[in-house]
């Protein structure tokens, strides 16, 4: 496998950064490298639990959302103090600062910010979410949502989407990303290859984006290309199949 060019987008590392990456990886055991693949959703906040996760499993990161800001901040600081590899700390700040803790600022749903002609509303939502989550110690946002609400019976996307028009989704997601980027926070756009077609809940069963290749490319594909060109550093993959894309990219692939 050819190693990635760490000077290129989305990494943008200088020589010192690349040296740190290589030295850190070389010093890790296989178990520690495997642990980096996992992000732990923390629903317990006692130090003994955090110590067990950090020391026993060496996760690449954690995510918080189910307790108050002071507790989240304290546990992020404690977790970071115990790991030789800095943790990615995720927040679900798709609607403001309430996606990292229970007492953060709820700004609006993405659909609400898309319902106004003022594009600055989406940018300010990203500003608030980024600043508040960064103050807690979070550095990775599971946002903005770039799904297209094509099926009105889809309850997962619904008001969490900027709408059913790819151009509008691109416009408002771009603004959100601009606001988020004012804080030291990496964005993860979601949910590839695109929710909003199937009406089932991808959290409980694999759902499907059943669009044909050309139709997907002109809608969801165009959204993802636009955001990647902006320099978005990461993409969250959903529990979503894309059978037509799969058959196009892997001719003869079995449905199972």
């Amino acid at each position: 496998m050819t190693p990635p060019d760490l000077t290129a987008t989305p990494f943008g590392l200088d020589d010192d950064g690349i040296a740190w990456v290589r030295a850190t990886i070389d010093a890790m055991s296989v178990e520690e490298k495997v642990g980096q693949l996992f992000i732990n959703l923390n629903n317990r906040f006692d130090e003994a639990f955090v110590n067990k996760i950090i020391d026993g499993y060496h996760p690449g990161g954690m995510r918080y959302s189910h307790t108050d800001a002071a507790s989240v901040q304290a546990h992020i600081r404690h977790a970071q103090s115990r790991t030789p590899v800095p943790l990615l700390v995720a927040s679900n700040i798709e609607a403001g600062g309430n996606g990292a803790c229970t007492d953060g600022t709820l700004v609006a749903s993405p659909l609400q910010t898309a319902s106004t002609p003022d594009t600055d509303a989406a940018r300010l939502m990203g500003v608030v979410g980024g600043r508040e989550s960064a103050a807690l110690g979070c550095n990775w946002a599971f946002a903005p949502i770039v799904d297209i609400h094509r099926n009105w019976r889809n309850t997962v996307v619904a008001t969490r989407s900027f709408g059913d028009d790819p151009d509008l989704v691109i416009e408002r997601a771009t603004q959100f990303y601009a606001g988020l980027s004012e804080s030291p926070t990496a964005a993860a756009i979601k949910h590839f290859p695109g929710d909003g077609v199937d009406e089932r809940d991808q959290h409980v069963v694999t759902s499907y984006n059943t669009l044909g290749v050309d139709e997907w490319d002109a809608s969801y594909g165009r959204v993802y290309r636009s955001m990647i060109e902006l320099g978005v550093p990461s993409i969250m993959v959903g529990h979503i199949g894309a059978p037509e894309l799969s058959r196009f990219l892997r001719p003869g692939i079995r449905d199972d």
Side-chain angles (χ1 to χ4, degrees), residues 9 14 18 38 73 88 92 116 200 216 253:
T9 302
D14 58 18
I18 293 172
F38 293 86
Q73 186 183 64
L88 288 168
N92 212 38
T116 171
R200 294 172 295 180
W216 183 90
I253 190 172

Side-chain angles (χ1 to χ4, degrees), residues 119-184:
T119 60
D120 208 41
R123 185 188 70 83
L124 291 173
M125 185 162 67
V127 169
V128 171
R131 288 180 181 176
E132 292 193 4
S133 59
L136 300 178
C138 301
N139 51 31
W140 192 25
F142 291 165
I145 293 176
V146 296
D147 293 315
I148 304 170
H149 195 203
R150 294 175 61 102
N151 183 347
W152 65 271
R153 296 200 296 188
N154 181 296
T155 60
V156 177
V157 174
T159 59
R160 297 171 67 206
S161 168
F162 289 112
D164 60 2
D165 179 359
D167 290 325
L168 181 64
V169 170
I170 291 170
E171 177 189 73
R172 300 308 164 99
T174 297
Q175 289 295 317
F176 184 102
Y177 177 61
L180 178 66
S181 297
E182 293 183 17
S183 63

Side-chain angles (χ1 to χ4, degrees), residues 26-169:
D26 289 345
M28 295 168 67
S29 66
V30 172
E31 185 178 74
E32 288 169 333
K33 291 176 182 177
V34 171
Q36 289 294 305
L37 300 174
F38 293 86
I39 307 296
N40 194 67
L41 176 58
N42 276 26
N43 290 324
R44 280 179 56 184
F45 303 96
D46 54 286
E47 288 191 357
F49 173 75
V50 175
N51 294 350
K52 177 182 177 182
I53 296 297
I54 294 292
D55 300 343
Y57 300 102
H58 320 290
M62 292 187 170
R63 181 188 154 203
Y64 293 84
S65 62
H66 300 300
T67 193
D68 62 278
S71 297
V72 170
Q73 186 183 64
H75 279 274
I76 291 173
R77 287 176 174 173
H78 178 72
Q80 292 284 27
S81 74
R82 292 189 69 88
T83 176
V85 182
L87 295 164
L88 288 168
V89 184
S91 58
N92 212 38
I93 52 172
E94 59 197 47
N98 66 326
C101 58
T102 55
D103 49 349
T105 303
L106 168 62
V107 176
S109 71
L111 186 60
Q112 284 175 306
T113 66
S115 67
T116 171
D118 182 6
T119 60
D120 208 41
R123 185 188 70 83
L124 291 173
M125 185 162 67
V127 169
V128 171
R131 288 180 181 176
E132 292 193 4
S133 59
L136 300 178
C138 301
N139 51 31
W140 192 25
F142 291 165
I145 293 176
V146 296
D147 293 315
I148 304 170
H149 195 203
R150 294 175 61 102
N151 183 347
W152 65 271
R153 296 200 296 188
N154 181 296
T155 60
V156 177
V157 174
T159 59
R160 297 171 67 206
S161 168
F162 289 112
D164 60 2
D165 179 359
D167 290 325
L168 181 64
V169 170

Side-chain angles (χ1 to χ4, degrees), residues 9 146 166-175 177 189 216-233 235:
T9 302
V146 296
D167 290 325
L168 181 64
V169 170
I170 291 170
E171 177 189 73
R172 300 308 164 99
T174 297
Q175 289 295 317
Y177 177 61
I189 56 176
W216 183 90
D217 200 50
S219 54
Y220 291 91
R222 186 153 58 85
V223 171
Y224 276 97
R225 284 195 302 273
S226 295
M227 299 306 293
I228 290 169
E229 288 170 1
L230 277 177
V232 168
I235 296 172

